Amino acid sequence: MGMVAVAVCTPPIGLGLATFINKRKFNHGEVEMGKASFTMGLFGITEGAIPFAAQDPLRIIPANMIGSMIAAVIAAIGGVGDRVAHGGPIVAVLGGIDQILWFFIAVIVGSIVTMIVVLLMKRTAPAVAVHSSPMDTGVISENQAVSDESMTTNQEQLSQENKITHEQADDDNSERVFDKRVIELSDETMTRDTVINQLIDQLADHDYISNKSILKEAVMAREAESTTAIGMNVAIPHAKSSVVKQPIVAVLNNKAGVEWESLDGSLPKIIFLIVVPSQSNDVHLKLLQRLSRTLMNDDIRMQLINAQSKDEIYNILKAI
């Protein structure tokens, strides 16, 4: 398990580093994904690398394989062991890793190799085209100067409008994937399966899914791979399924804490069930990225855990 523990986190961390080191190789969206990918890698969530691989498989997948392979070999040489069914630096910090020095050497080397291979193979992101006259004589007429000034002004206005549009789109997306009707609060002691069943029932009651048992199979299949209770009193179960009608996040705030195997031994008190249709490409990964990055903020996480109403939780989530 030690080799797996380093291999699962190497791709997202390496890709995150690549976007930090050489932004020219990536467009704005990829740079933003890199921040979330790096964070997800720290938690051992390999899915952070998938959006990159989906967009550029011929370059990203080989880089991920090479970096992970080197990390796994180093872990094997160092005798790295993993006492829990999960990986990533978070597990090492929480004491679940044997030979912790070798673990971090493996992760660092593997991530750097991934980064280097990605940057060597990936082309520079295309720049915005700038139109010029057929003949550049170096002499600018008064009319041309006015025209250029007007063009610059228009470009600035367009850029600002695009920025506002993207911000509004993000807000709209946040509102669409969160619904107060599928946000719950509870003080009862619950198990993982009880929580998942209850959230799926809520989704069915509000017509977000067409078959509860099929969705539960998909969610539990993901849980069988490794726990989605990432620690810090948070769990993020997730699944893609043909029975899901639109992307949605169901939320449970449980003051007592849920009996759920977590990375740090803490009981999850805020649970996000992310479900998306099968044809939604990487929607659930982007949601995972957004939530993971947001929940790294101690203040926001504690606000969600200590919230006393659906409205309070909904308003916090709308802002992420």
Side-chain angles (χ1 to χ4, degrees):
M1 283 298 292
M3 291 186 291
V4 176
V6 298
V8 297
C9 64
T10 297
I13 292 176
L15 287 165
L17 290 174
T19 63
F20 301 156
I21 297 299
N22 192 344
K23 291 183 171 63
R24 292 179 302 171
K25 294 274 187 174
F26 304 90
N27 60 42
H28 177 72
E30 289 173 327
V31 171
E32 290 302 310
M33 283 197 303
K35 298 174 184 176
S37 177
F38 184 83
T39 302
M40 293 173 74
L42 297 180
F43 284 98
I45 303 175
T46 314
E47 286 98 326
I50 294 179
F52 292 95
Q55 291 180 11
D56 193 1
L58 295 180
R59 296 179 179 86
I60 301 300
I61 292 177
N64 289 343
M65 292 174 63
I66 293 169
S68 295
M69 178 180 65
I70 290 174
V73 169
I74 294 173
I77 292 172
V80 175
D82 186 3
R83 296 191 294 274
V84 297
H86 202 78
I90 185 68
V91 176
V93 171
L94 296 173
I97 296 293
D98 298 322
Q99 300 295 337
I100 190 169
L101 178 59
W102 278 101
F103 172 86
F104 279 108
I105 291 173
V107 171
I108 291 170
V109 172
S111 299
I112 290 175
V113 169
T114 301
M115 175 193 73
I116 291 172
V117 176
V118 167
L119 294 179
L120 287 175
M121 297 180 67
K122 191 170 177 62
R123 298 173 181 173
T124 301
V128 178
V130 178
H131 298 286
S132 60
S133 60
M135 296 180 62
D136 186 2
T137 62
V139 179
I140 302 177
S141 68
E142 182 178 352
N143 289 338
Q144 184 179 351
V146 172
S147 176
D148 288 347
E149 182 179 353
S150 176
M151 181 182 295
T152 300
T153 302
N154 289 337
Q155 288 175 339
E156 290 175 351
Q157 291 175 345
L158 181 59
S159 175
Q160 184 64 24
E161 289 172 0
N162 285 339
K163 180 179 179 182
I164 293 172
T165 300
H166 286 310
E167 289 174 351
Q168 290 173 340
D170 288 342
D171 290 341
D172 291 343
N173 288 336
S174 294
E175 292 180 13
R176 281 199 296 268
V177 298
F178 296 113
D179 182 346
K180 276 189 286 190
R181 297 176 301 170
V182 292
I183 296 176
E184 295 188 53
L185 291 89
S186 173
D187 294 322
E188 300 177 8
T189 300
M190 296 181 175
T191 64
R192 179 197 67 180
D193 290 9
T194 302
V195 168
I196 290 174
N197 285 334
Q198 187 167 319
L199 291 175
I200 289 176
D201 286 343
Q202 286 292 318
L203 293 176
D205 290 344
H206 294 93
D207 201 32
Y208 281 110
I209 61 174
S210 59
N211 188 299
K212 293 191 290 186
S213 60
I214 291 178
L215 179 59
K216 183 180 178 181
E217 287 179 10
V219 174
M220 298 310 294
R222 174 59 185 85
E223 286 296 318
E225 295 177 9
S226 64
T227 180
T228 57
I230 62 175
M232 301 180 297
N233 303 115
V234 175
I236 314 178
H238 51 277
K240 293 177 70 173
S241 175
S242 59
V243 302
V244 180
K245 299 180 180 180
Q246 70 178 75
I248 186 68
V249 181
V251 183
L252 173 68
N253 177 305
N254 185 282
K255 304 300 183 187
V258 178
E259 296 176 9
W260 198 320
E261 181 186 356
S262 66
L263 298 183
D264 61 359
S266 65
L267 298 179
K269 294 185 177 181
I270 186 76
I271 297 92
F272 303 90
L273 174 61
I274 301 174
V275 297
V276 299
S278 297
Q279 67 274 17
S280 292
N281 297 324
D282 59 354
V283 171
H284 76 297
L285 300 177
K286 292 178 180 178
L287 289 172
L288 261 175
Q289 290 173 338
R290 284 168 55 191
L291 280 174
S292 298
R293 186 168 56 184
T294 299
L295 294 170
M296 287 289 288
N297 185 306
D298 293 339
D299 291 337
I300 295 177
R301 188 174 66 253
M302 293 311 299
Q303 287 175 23
L304 288 166
I305 290 173
N306 295 327
Q308 299 298 317
S309 69
K310 292 185 178 184
D311 286 335
E312 189 176 350
I313 294 173
Y314 180 70
N315 289 331
I316 294 171
L317 293 175
K318 276 203 309 180
I320 69 174

